[in-house]
């Protein structure tokens, strides 16, 4: 019988047995990772350097892009290395750190998306009070609350999970360290404490989702009264992609952490983990920049400035 002190590493899920498929997985993850680095990096640079974008909405978008860079850098490089070098091992401390960062990024992203929904609600439904409600001090406090609460939440989950005795081996049937897979290795009922804490956290996440949906219902009610078709289109094109990202993140996250064992299989677990941990950081830059005229113009000014400096 193994316990958590009898080994110093975990074995992650192997993507494929053949070298060709391993290299294919490496190439796909490399493309996704580079796209996420480029997209989020451009948003961070544009918002930080262009004073036209120093508004609450872009302040929260800057926070989201920083978080997305950290989130995807926590999981994808290790998965790429495993595929490229045909290895599976991750150290005990590395697994704990990865689990902590995954939980932290999920919680912080959910909180930031909730704050962004509130920002849009105030901007559209209470425009006359926007400057007072969303002043710089309030924005900093909301962002700090999102990061701080997520840090404490991730610390509690990591401490609880890795304090549980493990006796079912050290094979994690996933490409990253996540709580459900670690709990499956436990050998006592002490895992129920972490399971209870997990349910509480997911209920809070669902509460954020309900708050976002209610906010958008009120936003859409106001938007439908706008006489200008162009105004309605602009509001919908700004809000619907945000709602889609929130739905994907929360639904896949809740499914991954609450699904019954009968629904579990390596293929399903892998797809769900990719959907909540890899896809959002990669697609967020596309969603928040493709139809954003101000951000496009800021990027054009940034590129023009770089070209001028090179001449």
């Amino acid at each position: 019988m193994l316990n958590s002190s009898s080994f110093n590493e975990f074995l992650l899920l192997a993507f494929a047995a053949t070298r060709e498929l391993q290299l294919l997985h490496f190439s796909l993850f490399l493309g996704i990772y580079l796209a996420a680095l480029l997209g989020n990096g451009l948003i961070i640079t544009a918002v930080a350097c262009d004073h036209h974008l120093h508004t609450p909405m872009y302040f929260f978008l800057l926070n989201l892009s920083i978080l997305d860079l950290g989130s995807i850098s926590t999981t994808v490089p290790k998965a790429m290395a495993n595929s490229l070098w045909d290895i599976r091992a991750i150290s005990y401390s590395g697994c704990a750190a990865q689990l902590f960062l995954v939980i932290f990024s999920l919680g912080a992203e959910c909180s930031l998306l909730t704050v962004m929904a509130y920002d849009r609600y105030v901007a559209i439904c209470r425009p006359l009070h926007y400057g007072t409600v969303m002043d710089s001090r309030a924005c900093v406090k909301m962002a700090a609350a999102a990061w701080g609460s997520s840090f404490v939440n991730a610390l509690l989950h990591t401490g609880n999970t890795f304090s549980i005795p493990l006796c079912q081996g050290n094979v994690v049937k996933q490409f990253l360290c996540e709580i459900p897979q670690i709990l499956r290795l436990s050998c006592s009922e002490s895992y129920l404490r972490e399971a209870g804490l997990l349910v509480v956290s997911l209920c809070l996440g669902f509460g954020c989702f309900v708050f976002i949906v209610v906010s958008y219902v009120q936003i859409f009610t106001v938007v439908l009264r706008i006489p200008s078709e162009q105004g309605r289109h602009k509001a919908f094109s700004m809000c619907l992609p945000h709602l889609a990202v929130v739905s994907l993140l929360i639904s896949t996250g809740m499914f991954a952490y609450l699904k019954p064992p009968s629904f579990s299989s390596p293929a399903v677990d892998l797809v769900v983990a990719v959907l909540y941990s890899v896809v959002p950081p990669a697609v967020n830059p596309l969603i928040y920049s493709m139809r954003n005229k101000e951000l496009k113009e800021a990027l054009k000014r940034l590129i023009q400035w770089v070209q001028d400096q090179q001449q």
Side-chain angles (χ1 to χ4, degrees):
M1 178 179 293
L2 293 172
N3 58 45
S4 56
S5 62
S6 64
F7 56 87
N8 57 8
E9 68 179 17
F10 290 93
L11 298 178
L12 298 176
L13 178 70
F15 280 107
T18 64
R19 189 59 182 158
E20 291 77 10
L21 287 177
Q22 288 174 345
L23 293 177
L24 177 61
H25 286 126
F26 169 79
S27 301
L28 290 174
F29 270 62
L30 178 62
I32 293 172
Y33 187 56
L34 291 177
L37 289 180
L38 178 62
N40 287 293
L42 286 174
I43 289 177
I44 292 170
T45 306
V47 175
C49 297
D50 196 313
H51 69 277
H52 296 94
L53 302 183
H54 292 175
T55 63
M57 183 178 76
Y58 293 107
F59 170 73
F60 294 127
L61 183 57
L62 172 68
N63 278 261
L64 185 65
S65 293
I66 294 173
L67 187 65
D68 282 340
L69 276 182
S71 173
I72 200 166
S73 297
T74 299
T75 56
V76 171
K78 178 59 179 174
M80 289 164 51
N82 287 359
S83 294
L84 183 61
W85 293 317
D86 191 19
I87 58 176
R88 298 174 57 192
I90 182 172
S91 66
Y92 189 91
S93 59
C95 185
Q98 190 180 70
L99 186 144
F100 170 83
L101 292 171
V102 167
I103 296 299
F104 168 73
S105 60
L106 283 175
E109 183 154 352
C110 183
S111 299
L112 280 174
L113 290 171
T114 305
V115 171
M116 291 171 73
Y118 178 70
D119 172 70
R120 294 182 181 185
Y121 162 76
V122 177
I124 294 175
C125 299
R126 301 178 60 191
L128 298 179
H129 299 87
Y130 185 77
T132 303
V133 176
M134 301 300 294
D135 62 3
S136 58
R137 182 175 296 181
C139 291
V140 170
K141 286 182 178 179
M142 285 188 278
W147 287 78
S149 60
S150 300
F151 180 87
V152 173
N153 179 59
L155 199 63
L156 289 173
H157 280 294
T158 305
N160 268 326
T161 300
F162 284 91
S163 66
I164 298 171
L166 306 179
C167 63
Q168 303 295 328
N170 64 336
V171 179
V172 179
K173 296 180 181 179
Q174 186 55 275
F175 79 95
L176 76 164
C177 291
E178 64 175 12
I179 293 175
Q181 301 297 334
I182 302 296
L183 293 184
R184 290 178 185 177
L185 305 179
S186 64
C187 54
S188 71
E189 293 186 356
S190 57
Y191 75 90
L192 293 176
R193 181 179 60 185
E194 170 57 24
L197 182 60
L198 195 59
V199 170
V200 172
S201 296
L202 290 171
C203 288
L204 292 175
F206 183 72
C208 290
F209 178 70
V210 171
F211 178 87
I212 292 170
V213 171
V214 171
S215 298
Y216 276 110
V217 167
Q218 297 185 59
I219 289 172
F220 294 150
T221 302
V222 173
V223 167
L224 291 174
R225 297 174 185 167
I226 298 176
S228 168
E229 183 177 348
Q230 183 179 1
R232 290 198 302 270
H233 176 73
K234 181 180 179 180
F236 278 122
S237 64
M238 184 175 62
C239 295
L240 288 177
H242 181 202
L243 192 57
V245 171
V246 173
S247 301
L248 175 66
L249 177 68
I250 294 180
S251 61
T252 53
M254 292 189 70
F255 181 79
Y257 285 81
L258 290 180
K259 67 181 182 300
S262 58
F263 282 87
S264 182
S265 71
V268 172
D269 292 346
L270 177 62
V271 170
V272 172
V274 169
L275 286 177
Y276 78 75
S277 66
V278 177
V279 172
V283 302
N284 276 343
L286 295 175
I287 288 175
Y288 291 107
S289 64
M290 282 182 64
R291 297 184 178 183
N292 192 312
K293 185 178 178 180
E294 292 178 334
L295 194 54
K296 287 181 179 179
E297 291 177 351
L299 289 173
K300 288 179 182 178
R301 288 192 292 268
L302 177 63
I303 294 172
Q304 184 62 46
W305 180 84
V306 172
Q307 291 175 344
D308 292 341
Q309 295 299 311
Q310 293 176 345
Q311 292 177 355

